[in-house]
Amino acid sequence: MPIQRRALLVAAAAGVLAAPRLARAQQGGGRLVILGGGFGGASAARFARDHHPDLEVTLVERSPRFTTCPYGNLVLAGRRDIESITFGYDRLAARGVRVVHQGATAVDAGRKRLRLADGAEIPYDKLIMSPGIDLRWGAVEGYDEAAATRMPHGWIPSQQPITVLQKQLEAMPEGGVFVMTIPDNPFRCPPGPYERISMVAEYLQRAKPRAKLIALDAKNGFSKQPLFQDAWAELYPDIVEWRGASEDGRVVRVNPAAMEVETEFGDKVKGDVVNVIPPQMAARIAREAGLANETGWCPVKPATMESALVPDIHVIGDACIAAPMPKSGFAANSHAKHAVACAAAALAGRAAPPATYFNTCYSHVGPDYGISIVGVYRGTPQRLEEVPGSGGISPRTAVLGERAAEHRRLEALYADGWYESITQDMFGIA
Amino acid sequence: MRKATILALTMLAMPAAAQERGLLLAGACQGCHGVSGGGSHGIPAIAATHRRAEFAAILRDFRENRREATVMGRIARGYSDEDIAALAAHYAARD
Ligand SMILES: Cc1cc2nc3c(=O)[nH]c(=O)nc-3n(C[C@H](O)[C@H](O)[C@H](O)COP(=O)(O)OP(=O)(O)OC[C@H]3O[C@@H](n4cnc5c(N)ncnc54)[C@H](O)[C@@H]3O)c2cc1C
C-alpha cells in the first residue's frame, strides 16, 4: 500500500477511535480491537467484519506486510519464492477493518486501552490478542540474537526471513553437513521441523546429493513421526539422520564461531549450515500484559478463549495454552472465529456459542508427497479435548498399499489448496 | 425455484443460535474448501452443490467410513448428527 494511503487510513482510524462510543456496547455492538495481524489476528478481523457488522473492528499490526511461516519450508526447497508467501492488509482495510500499523507497547487492562509505540491509545470493549511467539534467547546456551545470524532459526519471519537460511543452504559446499536442532514441546508448529527436514533433504538430493542432514531433537517422539520416518527412509535414505533425546539428541549449547552444537552428554556436532530452532514462549506484549503464567504461555478458558487471568481479553493462536491442540495456523484461524463469536455474544448480553475447534496440518515431504494430521476439539468450561474417535494422521504406506501414491499426491495438492484458502480468508482476498 | 424459496424461508425461521453453529462449524470447511466453499486444487466445491439431505448423507458416509477419503473421514468423525445438520443447512441453504 502506498505510504500516503496508509497514513490516511491510520489517521482515519485515530479520528474514529477518539470519538466516544459509550452507548455502543449496550446496542450489542462495541469496539473490538485485535492485536497481531498473523494467522489468528487477521482471521479474527476478517470474520468479525464479515459476520458482525455492528462491531467496530480495529487490527493493530506492527508490519505492513506479513510473510507466512507455512510454505516457508517450500521456499527453502526452492519450490516457491518469498513474494508468493507474503501478503498485505489493503484488502482487509477495503472490507472495513481499521488497520493500524503500529507496534503495541502495553495493555492497560484496567482502563481497557491498548497503548501504541507512537503514544496513541486505542480503547476497546473486547481485545483479542494473537501476537504469536518470541524465542527464548539463551535457553540453549550461547544462542542469542548475534548467534542467530550465523545459525539462523527461520522460525519467526518478521524477525528473520527464511531467505537467510535459504542463502546459507544454497552456499553450502557439496558434501556438506546441514545440522538442525529441535526443541522440546510445546513450540510453534509441531510438524514444522520435520517438514523442514524433508524439504531441505529434497533440495540436497537435487542440488548437492552427497550432503547430509543431521537433526538433533530434544524429544523422543514427534508429530506424524511414522509417516515422516517412512518417507525419509523411502526418499532420502542416505541424507537424513534424526537423533532423539534417548540418542543424546538434546542440544544444550552452541558455539557459533566454530559452527558447532553440543548435546546434553557432550557430543559436539559441526555443521556447514546450522539451523537452531530454539525453545519459545508467548510474545512479549502478552507476557508483559500479565496474560502468561509461569510457563511463559497464556492460559485461556477453553469454552471461549478468554484469558484465564485478565478480563475482556481473548488470547488465541500460538501464544495461548490450547493443548491438546497444536500451535498451528489452522488452529489460530479456528480460535479466531470462535473468539470473535464469543466476544460479540458477550457484548450483546448473549451466552457464548458452544466451542468446537479444528486443526488440519499438511506437510510436504517430497514432490507430490503430502501427509496430514487432523483434529476436532470441543471446549467446555472445564477442559479442551479431542472428540474421541476423530482426527489422527494419514494412513501409513503399508496400510494404503497400491493407493499410497495417489493418496500422497492428493494430500500434497490439498495442502496447496489449504494454503490458498486460508491466506485468502485471513487477508480478505476472496 | 420453489425449493429454494422454502429453503430460504426455513433459514429465516432457523433460530439464530443454530445458524451461528453452522457458520462456526463451517470455519473448518473454509480452511480447505475456500472462504465461500468453492473448492480449488482438486478440493471439491461444497457450497450450493447438494440438497440438504444429500449433503448430510455424504458427511455421514465419510464419518461411517463408507466413502473413500484422504482427510474427510478423520474430520467427519468429529461431528455429531446435529453438527452435520447444521453444516448441511449452512452450505445447502446457499443455492
Ligand atoms: C516452518 C513453519 C511451518 C509452518 N507450517 C504450518 C502449516 O503448514 N500449517 C499450519 O496450520 N501452521 C503452520 N505453521 C504454524 C503457524 O505459522 C503458526 O501457528 C501461526 O503463525 C500462529 O498464528 P498467530 O496469530 O498466533 O501468530 P503469528 O502468525 O506469528 O502472528 C502474530 C502477529 O502479531 C504481530 N505482533 C506481535 N507483537 C506485536 C506488537 N507488540 N504490536 C504489533 N504487532 C505485534 C506480529 O508482527 C505478527 O504479525 C508453521 C510454522 C513454521 C515455523
Side-chain angles (χ1 to χ4, degrees), chain A residues 59-374:
Chain A
L59 178 65
V60 177
E61 163 59 52
R62 191 188 280 133
S63 321
R65 310 237 301 150
F66 182 83
T67 300
T68 63
C69 288
Y71 277 61
N73 290 331
L74 280 77
V75 173
L76 268 184
R79 287 211 215 165
R80 283 259 188 168
D81 65 63
I82 190 112
E83 271 305 304
S84 76
I85 63 165
T86 301
F87 300 85
Y89 295 89
D90 1 1
R91 309 280 188 95
L92 282 179
R95 284 173 190 270
V97 174
R98 274 191 292 281
V99 181
V100 179
H101 285 300
Q102 279 282 321
T105 51
V107 179
D108 182 342
R111 288 165 60 238
K112 301 201 354 183
R113 278 154 200 269
L114 184 65
R115 202 167 307 138
L116 305 184
D118 66 359
E121 287 188 339
I122 302 189
Y124 62 82
D125 296 309
K126 293 285 180 187
L127 176 62
I128 294 180
M129 304 262 296
S130 195
I133 59 164
D134 278 343
L135 304 177
R136 289 181 191 259
W137 300 116
V140 171
E141 197 187 314
Y143 197 68
D144 54 19
E145 282 171 274
T149 58
R150 298 253 310 160
M151 299 178 157
H153 52 82
W155 218 244
I156 306 181
S158 60
Q159 292 180 19
Q160 184 182 67
I162 194 67
T163 43
V164 173
L165 184 60
Q166 186 203 7
K167 290 206 180 83
Q168 292 191 7
L169 175 62
E170 275 174 9
M172 193 171 109
E174 279 287 337
V177 176
F178 185 104
V179 172
M180 182 189 297
T181 81
I182 306 170
D184 211 341
N185 295 319
F187 63 99
R188 159 172 285 182
C189 196
Y194 313 97
E195 182 189 62
R196 179 170 292 176
I197 290 172
S198 311
M199 288 297 91
V200 169
E202 180 188 303
Y203 168 80
L204 292 176
Q205 194 172 58
R206 195 173 65 235
K208 306 176 200 287
R210 289 183 299 110
K212 295 260 173 292
L213 188 161
I214 302 173
L216 299 168
D217 205 326
K219 308 177 290 305
N220 281 319
F222 57 86
S223 178
K224 306 181 217 177
Q225 183 168 6
L227 300 178
F228 277 117
Q229 290 187 321
D230 284 353
W232 298 337
E234 189 185 326
L235 302 174
Y236 319 114
D238 301 325
I239 296 178
V240 174
E241 177 193 333
W242 174 83
R243 270 164 64 181
S246 62
E247 298 157 300
D248 194 22
R250 178 190 289 272
V251 167
V252 293
R253 199 168 291 117
V254 299
N255 179 350
M259 288 295 277
E260 202 168 70
V261 304
E262 189 179 330
T263 64
E264 206 170 0
F265 298 106
D267 190 17
K268 292 184 176 160
V269 182
K270 219 173 150 64
D272 297 289
V273 178
V274 180
N275 173 206
V276 176
I277 304 170
Q280 300 149 29
M281 58 189 165
R284 179 173 173 180
I285 180 92
R287 287 179 285 121
E288 289 184 354
L291 294 161
N293 65 18
E294 67 289 349
T295 64
W297 303 101
C298 305
V300 292
K301 301 176 186 173
T304 57
M305 301 304 295
E306 286 168 292
S307 167
L309 304 176
V310 184
D312 295 310
I313 301 180
H314 297 254
V315 187
I316 63 171
D318 288 357
C320 77
I321 301 173
M325 293 189 78
K327 296 187 185 300
S328 78
F330 199 115
N333 174 275
S334 181
H335 297 162
K337 291 169 181 176
H338 188 69
V340 167
C342 290
L347 289 172
R350 286 185 283 111
T356 305
Y357 306 105
F358 302 92
N359 179 58
T360 301
C361 271
Y362 293 100
S363 303
H364 287 280
V365 295
D368 290 325
Y369 196 134
I371 57 176
S372 65
I373 185 164
V374 169

